[in-house]
Each structure stands twice: as structure tokens, then as C-alpha cells.
Amino acid sequence: MTAPYDHPLNLTMQAILTYGSWALTLVFLVLALRMSAKERTPFYVLIILAAMVGAFAEPLYDEGLMLLFYVPGIWTHFSAFNIPQPLWTHSGYVVLYASAAIYICQQINAGTLTKKALYGWALIELAMSCTFEMIGINGGAYEYWGPHVFRIFNYPLVIGVLEAAQVICFSVAAAELRKRVSGPMGLLGLFILFPCTFYLANFGAGSFVIIALHLDQPSTALVTIATLLSLGSAVLLIRAAASFLPDEAAVAAKTRATSNVGATANG
């Protein structure tokens, strides 16, 4: 099996992904600026920028999980591993990853995010991933060309679950970093934290399926077993990240205590 380098690229879909994702990126950047101004921290803006910079490592992901952006007519700014990168990868990272992360981190900082709610965010991220990638794949912009299994509309489900785990891990780690650093300079660690958590999930939990996909003689049975292992590992990562958060009872107790203090002060 060889990569479909000669597969035609849908130029209309390329334009939609490029202009649409960059327009949404501007929207999320404005929202992040407002959130940062309100809390007097560059934290949320840096999350957006960290995701954009992190997209420069996308060729590693493409090589591991056998993703190929169709080449003929592609608007590209660089190529690595013989995989040209489209201009919308950076904006796509913001839309797909950073957009959810800024709101998850905001809720963690406010002390209102529970374990259960974090699982809800994981499902939201999974839905976002499926929507974004199914549009790109079936619209003729790229494909996961390897011997993946459990595909839905040509989209390997394991990719979405790994991406959900990745965003959850980054969000929790970013919130923990914010608690432990003093001053804006410490928050620059987000630029390293993003690729670390990105490949923690995709190349850590995803290592089983990556190896199975790249075996010299891959088989459907081995890829299926490896995919199930990677799916389970991604769920365990999400559960591990949730362990850093309080449960609903603890959040409710904190809310009642805050309300009682406020009532006493007003009294």
C-alpha cells in the first residue's frame, strides 16, 4: 500500500478549509484576548498561539498515523517526510484544539469544572473532531490512507478519541501550569507543553495502532487489536486527567461555603 500522492485535491474544499478556519481563528483570538484582559493574564492568548506554533510538528503526526494531504494544487508553506502541509493546519489546530482548551481552562481556574463535566468536554471534542475531519476527508482535501479499521464515513474513530484525550490532557496540564508559575514568562511553557501533551496522547496512547499500521506485513486482525488497545489507553488518559479535578459534591460544597460567606458579609 502506497500513499495516494496523485489523488486530486478538491480546490473548493481547500478554499473553504483555509478561509473558514482562519476566520474562526480570528474569532477565537478575539475571545481569548477578552478573556485574558478580564483576568489580567496572557494565558488564553498564549494557548491560541501555542496551538498555532505546535502545528509545525504536524508532519510527525501525519507520518505516524498515515495522513496525507492531497498534493496536486495544494497551498503549502513547507513539506516534511514528503508530506506538503496546507496553510490551514495552523488555523485548524486553533479551531479543533485550542478553542475547547481555553474554555476548559477557564472553568478549571474558576473551580467550577468537575470530573463529570470534563468527560462531557471529551465528548464535545470528539464530536468536533469527527465533524471537522469528516468534512475535510469526504470533501476531498486529505485522507487517512493506511489500513485503519473502525472507520465512520472514511474517518478512523481512533483518531477522534486520541484527539479528545490530547485536548483534555493539554487543558488540565495548562491549568496546572498556570497555578504554579509566577508571572507571564512562566506561561511561555505552554509552547512546549502543547507538543508534549499532543504526542503524549497521539504517540503514547496511539503507539499500539501506529506500530500495527506500519508493520511490514500488516493484518486487519492486528490493526483491530492495536486500535482497541489505543482506544482504551486514550480513555485511561482522560480518566487520569479527570483525577486532578474535584467531583460534583466537592464543587457544590465549595459553592455553598462561598455563598454563606457572602451572606454573612452582607449581613
Side-chain angles (χ1 to χ4, degrees), residues 5 17 22 26 31 51 61-62 75 78 80 83 106 127 140 142 154 194 212 215 229 233:
Y5 289 105
L17 289 174
W22 277 105
L26 290 177
L31 291 173
Y61 177 90
D62 300 337
W75 296 339
F78 80 102
I83 305 173
Q106 183 186 50
Y142 64 93
N154 299 316
F194 181 87
L215 288 174
L229 288 172
S233 298

Side-chain angles (χ1 to χ4, degrees), residues 21-22 25 48 51-58 77-78 85-96:
S21 63
W22 277 105
T25 293
I48 299 291
M52 293 179 69
V53 172
F56 280 109
E58 170 70 13
H77 53 311
F78 80 102
Q85 298 296 301
L87 296 175
W88 55 265
T89 51
H90 303 279
S91 52
Y93 269 47
V94 173
V95 174
L96 194 52

Side-chain angles (χ1 to χ4, degrees), residues 25-267:
T25 293
L26 290 177
V27 171
F28 286 120
L29 182 57
V30 169
L31 291 173
L33 283 167
R34 294 179 62 181
M35 294 163 68
S36 290
K38 182 178 180 181
E39 298 184 18
R40 297 181 179 180
T41 172
F43 179 68
Y44 301 105
V45 174
L46 290 177
I47 285 179
I48 299 291
L49 297 179
M52 293 179 69
V53 172
F56 280 109
E58 170 70 13
L60 290 171
Y61 177 90
D62 300 337
E63 181 71 9
L65 287 159
M66 305 184 79
L67 184 157
L68 180 73
F69 302 104
Y70 296 142
V71 177
I74 189 174
W75 296 339
T76 182
H77 53 311
F78 80 102
S79 179
F81 299 108
N82 202 28
I83 305 173
Q85 298 296 301
L87 296 175
W88 55 265
T89 51
H90 303 279
S91 52
Y93 269 47
V94 173
V95 174
L96 194 52
Y97 309 138
S99 61
I102 58 175
Y103 289 107
I104 295 172
C105 289
Q106 183 186 50
Q107 292 180 14
I108 293 176
N109 182 62
T112 59
L113 190 66
T114 64
K115 292 182 173 68
K116 184 177 180 179
L118 189 68
Y119 294 134
W121 273 111
L123 292 175
I124 291 172
E125 180 60 34
L126 175 60
M128 289 172 58
S129 175
C130 290
T131 302
F132 187 97
E133 299 231 49
M134 286 178 185
I135 291 173
I137 292 170
N138 293 283
Y142 64 93
E143 69 173 278
Y144 290 89
W145 59 274
H148 285 277
V149 296
F150 304 138
R151 291 178 183 264
I152 301 176
F153 296 109
N154 299 316
Y155 177 53
L157 182 60
V158 67
I159 301 298
V161 177
L162 288 171
E163 287 182 343
Q166 153 210 327
V167 172
I168 295 302
C169 288
F170 172 65
S171 301
V172 173
E176 290 297 318
L177 175 69
R178 182 183 179 184
K179 293 177 184 178
R180 288 164 171 75
V181 298
S182 57
M185 289 299 294
L187 294 177
L188 294 178
L190 290 169
F191 286 90
I192 302 301
L193 192 62
F194 181 87
C196 285
T197 52
F198 187 99
Y199 290 100
L200 163 73
N202 288 301
F203 277 25
S207 61
F208 302 102
V209 70
I210 289 173
I211 296 300
L213 292 172
H214 289 274
L215 288 174
D216 291 339
Q217 295 181 341
S219 72
T220 301
L222 287 175
V223 173
T224 300
I225 294 170
T227 299
L228 290 173
L229 288 172
S230 287
L231 285 168
S233 298
V235 172
L236 287 176
L237 266 182
I238 295 172
R239 183 175 181 181
S243 67
F244 287 85
L245 300 179
D247 55 26
E248 291 182 330
V251 171
K254 181 179 178 180
T255 302
R256 287 195 299 271
T258 302
S259 299
N260 291 337
V261 170
T264 301
N266 290 334

Side-chain angles (χ1 to χ4, degrees), residues 11-26:
L11 300 181
T12 300
M13 179 54 62
Q14 174 175 244
I16 292 172
L17 289 174
T18 302
Y19 295 120
S21 63
W22 277 105
L24 287 173
T25 293
L26 290 177

